[in-house]
Amino acid sequence: MKRYIGCDLGGTNLRAALVDIETGTVLFQQSVPTLAREGHDAVMQRMADLFLTMIKAAGLQTEDVGGIGIGVPGVLDLEKGETLFLPNLPGTWPHVPLRDVLYQATGLPVALLNDVRSITFGEWRFGAGQGVDTVAVLAIGTGIGGGLVINGQLHLGIGGTAGELGHMVIDFNGPRCGCGNYGCLEAFASGPAIAAMGMKAVAQGLTTKIGELCGYDLNAITPALIAEAALQGDEIAREIYQQVGFYLGVAASSLCASVSPRRIIVTGGVANAGRLLLDPMEKTMRERVHIMPVEQVEIVPGQLGDHAGVVGAACWAANRLG
Amino acid sequence: MKRYIGCDLGGTNLRAALVDIETGTVLFQQSVPTLAREGHDAVMQRMADLFLTMIKAAGLQTEDVGGIGIGVPGVLDLEKGETLFLPNLPGTWPHVPLRDVLYQATGLPVALLNDVRSITFGEWRFGAGQGVDTVAVLAIGTGIGGGLVINGQLHLGIGGTAGELGHMVIDFNGPRCGCGNYGCLEAFASGPAIAAMGMKAVAQGLTTKIGELCGYDLNAITPALIAEAALQGDEIAREIYQQVGFYLGVAASSLCASVSPRRIIVTGGVANAGRLLLDPMEKTMRERVHIMPVEQVEIVPGQLGDHAGVVGAACWAANRLG
């Protein structure tokens, strides 16, 4: 059995798993708070401790592990093994030699990858992307991350930056996006964008269950709460998801034209809304695309859930280091 | 020397060239009118005659030629070797077995490819895309075609339909595109879209040299004429190219986020406007993209001009059949 460690470096938690990379099975997992405000040196020390503790707890030696893959939320220099810009972590981690520090601290070879590219690789190898050679992933949460597998290869682009599908522009006159561009998909269809549509409806005084469900506290409005309202038959909430699905369908139509994927995988917390979100997305894509055989493009939910990132990071490490 | 025939099946002309596929040199070329209105059987017969005549005129035997690559303006089924939809040819050629008919008529193996993917492959192998592994091509003329080379491979997608970069949506509220979608790049920045901006300015009675240059005949307004006015210092004409460059820059920003190419090659008749078009395109892309190292992305004109398509088709045939 080939075992690798996959790690998800999150803003809140460090999650690590020991993965059988031949089957994609998570054999063992542990999680500790990231405590990112303590700075990158402290976080990297906690990561190394987590890996070594987990190996021990699993009854293994470091020699039993092939290497470590780390999914990192931001922009990397894959060649140098450095973090360049982690927007969600204090200090943003410019030029932190994450790969070499963890190699020195653990004695195990380390491969880095963007966190959503890790999810992409995991879903492609062992989840919703199995069996097809070209896949696009949209991971919808606080932001919209993405990834592309093209002709059976995770597409990295310059320094691993390809696949930021949430930052395709769908309206050049659109609102400012967190990335600095305007009218990106993320600016229309991320979790906060969806929540804001619910807040607006309640603030406007529209008749909607969203208000009751949040106890008229705008801070309590989330995509999940709006989805609940929609499932209870609330028209406003349903319209919000139809609008968001439309935005996603427009982006999917651009993906059909440019990448022509066999499958578009939608994952992340917001994707828990299921068909409420995917139905209007699919409808929009099928209505709008005529330039290629869109009937051969599937839109599917992710299959690996929270495991996608750690499984993908471990498989990526095996791919890179094996 | 390895010789292949490259052919460009155009709406007006059939252009064929004998190409040394080790250097990308055009050794010999011939062209005849397509006479597309005579129907696909007649056109295919003319193609076969052209190829055989050219081989003879070059003093060669069919055994001296490795095969034939054909760049086709439309949607293909690459596996079956059929045309599916050629919007610019009478009858649109549904399910015409172009590959097998020409093989039978010439005795030479045949590979099909979309015409702009042929240009893409030619520019990547021997033109403006040499030396980098990930390239996006935009060919701006009556429409906007495109192509992607990803990790050193021409990206085909479903049936060869990937790379239709002119049909990425840049404004979901935008005008109807010829493809049936709305707000595609092509609907904003194709040759006819540019000409229409000039027509509008003249029809509105704005003070612009475009009116003089076309003798106040709106039918005579072309992108080239507007470029001439701009080069003569006309403010309206310059603004038109700035606006078109902006649209292209928005699409380039989507390409940076999704594909992260090392080089974006702009070719086709409209690209003859040169820096007038590329400067605002580049400015927009550099201002808008922050999510990846955009300073490493080059925007460059094509280098092979009219030869790109036939060279690319010949190289593709060698790649597929060799």
Side-chain angles (χ1 to χ4, degrees):
Chain A
M1 187 191 295
K2 283 194 180 170
R3 299 181 195 88
Y4 280 76
I5 289 174
C7 173
D8 181 51
L9 166 52
T12 308
N13 289 305
L14 290 174
R15 299 173 53 236
L18 201 59
V19 178
D20 172 0
I21 58 100
E22 280 162 8
T23 62
T25 312
V26 171
L27 304 167
F28 203 90
Q29 58 179 321
Q30 283 193 332
S31 167
V32 297
T34 307
L35 302 182
R37 84 195 87 82
E38 293 178 1
H40 46 73
D41 287 333
V43 172
M44 289 192 288
Q45 187 57 54
R46 292 171 71 77
M47 292 174 86
D49 291 346
L50 173 63
F51 301 150
L52 296 174
T53 311
M54 188 173 67
I55 291 169
K56 213 168 180 179
L60 299 174
Q61 313 287 322
T62 52
E63 303 81 66
D64 299 324
V65 176
I68 300 167
I70 305 176
V72 182
V75 185
L76 301 166
D77 183 327
L78 287 187
E79 271 153 49
K80 293 188 185 157
E82 291 180 356
T83 59
L84 291 181
F85 180 60
L86 310 190
N88 303 323
L89 294 184
T92 74
W93 295 43
H95 295 288
V96 175
L98 180 60
R99 180 184 68 196
D100 293 350
V101 167
L102 283 176
Y103 169 60
Q104 275 151 28
T106 62
L108 286 167
V110 173
L112 306 185
L113 191 63
N114 171 276
D115 57 350
V116 186
R117 256 71 85 195
S118 299
I119 290 171
T120 302
F121 201 62
E123 288 286 355
W124 176 60
R125 285 294 308 281
F126 293 110
Q130 282 181 86
V132 293
D133 64 353
T134 297
V135 168
V137 171
L138 289 166
I140 314 174
T142 311
I144 300 186
L148 291 172
V149 171
I150 293 190
N151 295 324
Q153 241 188 316
L154 184 70
H155 178 46
L156 294 173
I158 301 173
T161 58
E164 289 291 350
L165 307 182
H167 298 282
M168 294 190 302
V169 175
I170 60 171
D171 176 7
F172 55 71
N173 287 315
R176 181 122 195 167
C177 179
C179 77
N181 202 341
Y182 295 83
C184 298
L185 174 63
E186 178 173 302
F188 286 97
S190 66
I194 298 169
M197 292 163 85
M199 294 169 199
K200 180 159 178 279
V202 174
Q204 275 183 302
L206 300 184
T207 305
T208 163
K209 283 202 173 141
I210 300 169
E212 292 166 40
L213 288 173
C214 73
Y216 296 93
D217 176 5
L218 299 181
N219 301 297
I221 297 177
T222 62
L225 183 142
I226 299 171
E228 198 189 323
L231 293 176
Q232 290 181 19
D234 183 71
E235 200 51 41
I236 299 288
R238 196 171 302 183
E239 279 172 19
I240 289 174
Y241 271 97
Q242 272 170 2
Q243 188 62 40
V244 173
F246 167 80
Y247 297 138
L248 290 166
V250 168
S253 76
S254 287
L255 284 171
C256 288
S258 56
V259 171
S260 187
R262 286 276 174 188
R263 225 167 265 165
I264 299 175
I265 300 171
V266 184
T267 184
V270 169
N272 291 335
R275 300 315 312 178
L276 199 58
L277 185 68
L278 297 194
D279 282 349
M281 177 183 178
E282 191 163 340
K283 180 166 176 283
T284 301
M285 179 184 82
R286 302 213 184 282
E287 280 173 1
R288 290 194 153 225
V289 175
H290 306 277
I291 194 129
M292 52 83 69
V294 68
E295 69 281 1
Q296 294 181 43
V297 182
E298 298 171 272
I299 294 181
V300 298
Q303 283 179 359
L304 300 187
D306 277 354
H307 281 176
V310 291
V311 168
C315 291
W316 179 249
N319 188 292
R320 271 298 162 107
L321 310 168
Chain B
M1 189 193 292
K2 284 197 182 169
R3 297 182 196 86
Y4 280 75
I5 289 174
C7 174
D8 181 52
L9 166 53
T12 309
N13 289 303
L14 291 174
R15 299 171 56 236
L18 201 60
V19 178
D20 171 0
I21 58 101
E22 280 162 6
T23 62
T25 313
V26 171
L27 304 167
F28 202 89
Q29 58 180 322
Q30 283 192 332
S31 167
V32 296
T34 307
L35 302 182
R37 85 195 85 85
E38 293 178 3
H40 46 72
D41 287 333
V43 171
M44 290 191 287
Q45 188 56 55
R46 294 172 69 77
M47 291 173 87
D49 291 347
L50 174 63
F51 301 151
L52 296 173
T53 310
M54 190 174 67
I55 292 169
K56 213 168 181 183
L60 299 173
Q61 314 285 324
T62 51
E63 303 82 66
D64 300 324
V65 175
I68 301 168
I70 305 177
V72 181
V75 185
L76 301 166
D77 184 327
L78 288 187
E79 270 153 50
K80 293 188 186 157
E82 291 181 355
T83 58
L84 290 182
F85 180 61
L86 311 190
N88 303 322
L89 294 184
T92 74
W93 294 43
H95 296 288
V96 175
L98 181 59
R99 181 184 66 194
D100 293 350
V101 168
L102 284 176
Y103 169 59
Q104 274 151 30
T106 63
L108 286 167
V110 174
L112 307 184
L113 191 63
N114 171 276
D115 57 349
V116 185
R117 256 71 84 195
S118 299
I119 290 172
T120 302
F121 200 62
E123 287 286 355
W124 176 61
R125 285 292 308 280
F126 293 110
Q130 282 181 84
V132 293
D133 64 353
T134 297
V135 168
V137 171
L138 290 165
I140 315 174
T142 309
I144 300 186
L148 290 172
V149 171
I150 292 189
N151 295 325
Q153 241 188 315
L154 184 69
H155 178 47
L156 294 173
I158 301 172
T161 58
E164 289 291 349
L165 307 182
H167 299 282
M168 295 190 302
V169 175
I170 61 170
D171 176 7
F172 55 72
N173 286 315
R176 181 122 194 167
C177 179
C179 76
N181 202 342
Y182 294 83
C184 299
L185 175 63
E186 178 172 302
F188 286 98
S190 66
I194 298 170
M197 292 163 85
M199 294 168 199
K200 179 159 180 276
V202 174
Q204 275 183 301
L206 300 184
T207 304
T208 164
K209 284 201 173 144
I210 300 168
E212 292 166 41
L213 288 174
C214 72
Y216 296 93
D217 176 5
L218 298 181
N219 300 297
I221 297 178
T222 63
L225 183 142
I226 299 170
E228 198 188 322
L231 294 175
Q232 289 182 20
D234 184 72
E235 199 52 40
I236 299 288
R238 195 170 304 181
E239 279 172 19
I240 289 175
Y241 270 97
Q242 272 170 3
Q243 189 62 42
V244 174
F246 168 80
Y247 296 137
L248 291 166
V250 169
S253 76
S254 287
L255 283 171
C256 287
S258 57
V259 172
S260 187
R262 285 274 175 189
R263 226 169 264 164
I264 299 174
I265 300 172
V266 184
T267 186
V270 170
N272 291 335
R275 300 315 312 179
L276 199 60
L277 184 70
L278 298 193
D279 282 349
M281 176 184 179
E282 191 162 339
K283 181 167 175 283
T284 301
M285 178 184 82
R286 300 211 184 286
E287 282 173 0
R288 287 192 155 226
V289 177
H290 305 278
I291 194 133
M292 52 83 71
V294 68
E295 68 281 0
Q296 293 180 43
V297 182
E298 298 171 273
I299 295 182
V300 297
Q303 283 179 359
L304 300 187
D306 277 354
H307 280 176
V310 290
V311 168
C315 291
W316 179 250
N319 188 293
R320 271 297 160 108
L321 311 168

